[in-house]
Amino acid sequence: KYMFLGEKDYQQLYLIKKFIKNKFNTKVIACKTLRNKNSLPYSSRNFLLKKNYLFKASKISKMIKNFKQQIKKNFKKINELKKIKKDIERIGVDIEYLEIRNKNNFTKNINKKNFKIFIAYYINKVRLIDNF
């Protein structure tokens, strides 16, 4: 009757909701991403990283969280995405993608209330994903 899925992989959650909607009598309930005190989302992949890499990942999460807060205060800050990407790359990670999308349909048609920031990157060959 109910399916509980985490928002950590928001794109996956979106696709599962869409798939289940018309095929099953099941309600998908999104659960907030659980994060540690350093803003890093809990993930089994974190166990594959040494302490110094976890520190880098935490730093990235904090940067994106802060960036989202800045955008909420001043939507023009959204134009600083390339700068944030360069700042993250300086930490020493390979970014697969860093995008701001409409959280309802994943288009680039965004406003102050409907956007999410999505990132996938590699640290020491471990792929991490996150969204804010």
Side-chain angles (χ1 to χ4, degrees):
K1 195 172 183 177
Y2 297 101
M3 181 183 289
F4 297 89
L5 294 171
E7 289 183 346
K8 182 179 173 298
D9 189 340
Y10 195 84
Q11 297 97 317
Q12 180 178 324
L13 171 65
Y14 175 85
L15 292 172
I16 291 171
K17 270 185 168 181
K18 196 171 183 177
F19 177 77
I20 286 179
K21 185 178 179 180
N22 298 322
K23 296 188 189 293
F24 302 97
N25 188 21
T26 302
K27 182 173 180 164
V28 177
I29 299 171
C31 302
K32 294 281 181 199
T33 301
L34 297 176
R35 297 179 180 277
N36 67 19
K37 64 183 179 184
N38 295 320
S39 297
L40 188 65
Y42 285 108
S43 170
S44 58
R45 292 183 187 191
N46 294 351
F47 293 110
L48 302 173
L49 298 172
K50 293 181 180 177
K51 194 180 255 186
N52 61 323
Y53 295 121
L54 286 170
F55 177 77
K56 286 182 178 186
S58 295
K59 192 170 183 177
I60 292 166
S61 291
K62 288 176 186 176
M63 288 171 72
I64 295 173
K65 182 180 176 184
N66 183 44
F67 181 50
K68 184 169 185 179
Q69 290 170 345
Q70 289 176 25
I71 294 169
K72 284 186 170 186
K73 290 179 185 173
N74 178 2
F75 196 67
K76 290 180 181 179
K77 291 273 188 181
I78 207 158
N79 297 321
E80 295 181 13
L81 183 65
K82 287 181 183 177
K83 179 192 175 299
I84 296 297
K85 184 176 182 181
K86 285 181 183 179
D87 291 345
I88 292 170
E89 287 171 335
R90 279 190 209 108
I91 292 172
V93 301
D94 295 320
I95 297 176
E96 184 177 323
Y97 62 82
L98 174 61
E99 295 185 346
I100 300 174
R101 296 282 180 156
N102 182 310
K103 68 182 178 182
N104 301 314
N105 57 23
F106 294 108
T107 65
K108 291 187 177 183
N109 183 17
I110 56 175
N111 62 46
K112 201 172 189 174
K113 294 182 181 179
N114 73 1
F115 77 95
K116 266 189 158 323
I117 302 171
F118 297 94
I119 188 169
Y121 60 97
Y122 290 87
I123 293 184
N124 198 32
K125 299 181 183 175
V126 177
R127 184 175 186 264
L128 301 176
I129 61 168
D130 203 354
N131 66 82
F132 285 88

